Amino acid sequence: MNFVTALEKELLEQRRTRKFMIALVVLVLFGMTSPLMAKMMPQIMSLVPGAEAYSFLIPTPTINDAVTQYIKNISQFGILLALVFTMGAVAVEKDKGTAAMMLSKPMSRGAFILAKFSALSLTFAIAVVLAGVCCYYYTYFLFGEMDLVNWLVLNGLILLYLLVYVAITLFFSTLTRTQYVAIGLSFGALIVLGILGGLPGLGSSFPDALIGNAALIMMGQAATSWTGLWVSLGLIAASLTGACLAFAKQEL
């Protein structure tokens, strides 16, 4: 069984387990509603008891508000999906014995790991693209036209940001036979990287900088630093390499 066959198996499994549909529905829903939420925020605030006296302090919503809302929603809920979808990718198959059965086809262990990452990457890529299309459509009619090239760059950075945590969670799923341990370790890595990304002078060197750069680009400003981009790519490569090496030495 080669890589392509393994990838087809993973894609079929994602359809059967509804992972593809869940990612599509969740991210597209937030892609559609983000500009709507930004547009209606003054009305929503006016419904809060006592908020009428401060309504004049709420600025008129702009394209930047819609983009900010979109980035926040897609990155937060996208990471949650990345952790949940990936936590049992290898751990569950080792626990149930299906990994040993798959590798008896024969198929290399590296192809086994890479097929899982590729299938998840394709799922999130499709979901982010469709979410981006929906958000662009609603933002265009509610606020006005956005720069299409910058919008493509923004969604590319968001996708890369999500794939960092897909790769990290896949690595931890390979190390353990329990998916809950994998998601616990991945959540810990998320917290650590978030703390490091918030440190002055160091934030631009961690994955969170991708989100900051995406926002700057959409506002027509230059990215502060692309170090976070290379670190993110390095984390993906290191996680996949570590997963392949660890899986190659494991008894199934």
Side-chain angles (χ1 to χ4, degrees), residues 22-72:
I22 292 171
L24 209 62
V25 170
V26 171
L27 297 188
V28 169
L29 179 63
F30 281 108
M32 294 170 57
T33 58
S34 292
L36 293 173
M37 292 173 63
K39 185 70 173 181
M40 297 180 65
M41 187 56 65
Q43 291 88 335
I44 294 174
M45 292 298 299
S46 65
L47 297 176
V48 178
E52 300 86 354
Y54 304 97
S55 59
F56 67 93
L57 296 176
I58 302 175
T60 302
T62 65
I63 288 180
N64 288 339
D65 295 311
V67 171
T68 300
Q69 192 72 39
Y70 173 77
I71 293 174
K72 181 179 69 175

Side-chain angles (χ1 to χ4, degrees), residues 82-99:
L83 298 184
V84 173
F85 285 2
T86 316
M87 66 180 185
V90 181
V92 170
E93 292 210 34
K94 290 191 297 182
D95 183 54
K96 293 183 176 180
T98 53

Side-chain angles (χ1 to χ4, degrees), residues 3-17 19-21 23-24 81-82 85-86 89 93 110-128 159 163 166-167 170 240:
F3 170 79
V4 175
T5 306
L7 178 60
E8 292 174 350
K9 174 258 181 187
E10 293 298 329
L11 292 174
L12 178 60
E13 181 179 343
Q14 289 195 43
R15 290 197 297 272
R16 287 176 175 174
T17 57
K19 287 182 179 179
F20 177 76
M21 185 58 63
L24 209 62
L81 293 177
F85 285 2
T86 316
E93 292 210 34
F112 181 85
I113 297 294
L114 294 178
K116 290 184 176 295
F117 178 75
S118 299
L120 287 164
S121 298
L122 185 58
T123 292
F124 279 104
I126 294 173
V128 169
L159 176 60
L163 294 185
V166 169
L170 184 61
L240 294 179

Side-chain angles (χ1 to χ4, degrees), residues 137-223:
Y137 176 84
Y138 278 94
T139 303
Y140 176 83
F141 282 100
L142 292 173
F143 296 98
E145 187 176 1
M146 294 189 292
D147 186 285
L148 182 58
V149 174
N150 288 345
W151 185 245
L152 293 175
V153 172
L154 178 145
N155 283 278
L157 292 175
I158 290 177
L159 176 60
L160 178 61
Y161 182 68
L162 299 182
L163 294 185
V164 170
Y165 293 100
V166 169
I168 290 175
T169 308
L170 184 61
F171 170 68
F172 287 129
S173 183
T174 304
L175 295 183
T176 179
R177 288 183 178 271
T178 305
Q179 59 181 334
Y180 302 109
V181 174
I183 195 173
L185 293 172
S186 301
F187 190 71
L190 172 65
I191 293 174
V192 170
L193 289 175
I195 293 173
L196 293 175
L199 295 176
L202 291 177
S204 61
S205 300
F206 292 93
D208 282 357
L210 296 174
I211 302 301
N213 285 339
L216 289 174
I217 288 171
M218 279 307 300
M219 290 188 290
Q221 302 178 25

